[in-house]
Amino acid sequence: QVQVVESGGGLVQAGGSLRLSCAVSGRTFSTTAMGWFRQAPGKEREFVAATSWGRPSTYYADSVKGRFTISRDNAKNTVYLQMNSLKPEDTAIYYCAARVSPLIIATIHYPHRYDDWGQGTQVTVSS
């Protein structure tokens, strides 16, 4: 089993920055990739970014491209999401998820393709 714990959420003004962290423990060797998703009230969970543990490739939703950066520290089993130029529409609960199957572009957006999820961290951007 893999445990996923997010941290770093909070309240920030529009234009500000936050960095989310996602610590992975347990059977980490079984995971190949990590993803960040978010869910705003009344909306479906949506893909934000993803990266592989063993490859430098990163993937982003169009809505965050150029503003958010996903990175990882393999030694610490931790993934980060640096969020800059935040907008009120970025307000959501942000979830980190671990994936066993390799990242395939066609499936990176689907929450059901990720296996273990954290409890989420709230990000609120005020206008």
Side-chain angles (χ1 to χ4, degrees):
Q1 190 175 1
V2 174
Q3 291 79 44
V4 179
V5 179
E6 307 96 335
S7 61
L11 173 64
V12 64
Q13 288 188 334
S17 299
L18 280 175
R19 189 177 82 152
L20 305 183
S21 298
C22 173
V24 185
S25 61
R27 297 172 59 88
T28 57
F29 58 86
S30 66
T31 64
T32 61
M34 300 295 296
W36 284 100
F37 287 75
R38 67 186 182 186
Q39 188 165 17
K43 295 187 177 181
E44 293 186 351
R45 192 167 297 191
E46 65 172 358
F47 170 78
V48 175
T51 188
S52 297
W53 287 114
R55 298 179 180 180
S57 53
T58 55
Y59 305 92
Y60 298 94
D62 289 343
S63 59
V64 306
K65 202 171 293 183
R67 300 188 298 121
F68 291 11
T69 302
I70 187 171
S71 62
R72 67 199 187 284
D73 185 331
N74 291 45
K76 295 182 178 180
N77 291 324
T78 300
V79 175
Y80 304 96
L81 186 68
Q82 178 66 44
M83 305 185 295
N84 298 329
S85 301
L86 282 162
K87 305 175 182 179
E89 51 263 44
D90 294 318
T91 295
I93 298 175
Y94 283 70
Y95 297 92
C96 182
R99 179 170 169 140
V100 173
S101 59
L103 277 182
I104 301 174
I105 294 177
T107 66
I108 60 172
H109 303 88
Y110 300 124
H112 69 272
R113 297 304 298 265
Y114 294 75
D115 303 280
D116 297 282
W117 292 79
Q119 79 290 349
T121 185
Q122 177 71 48
V123 172
T124 302
V125 184
S126 63
S127 56

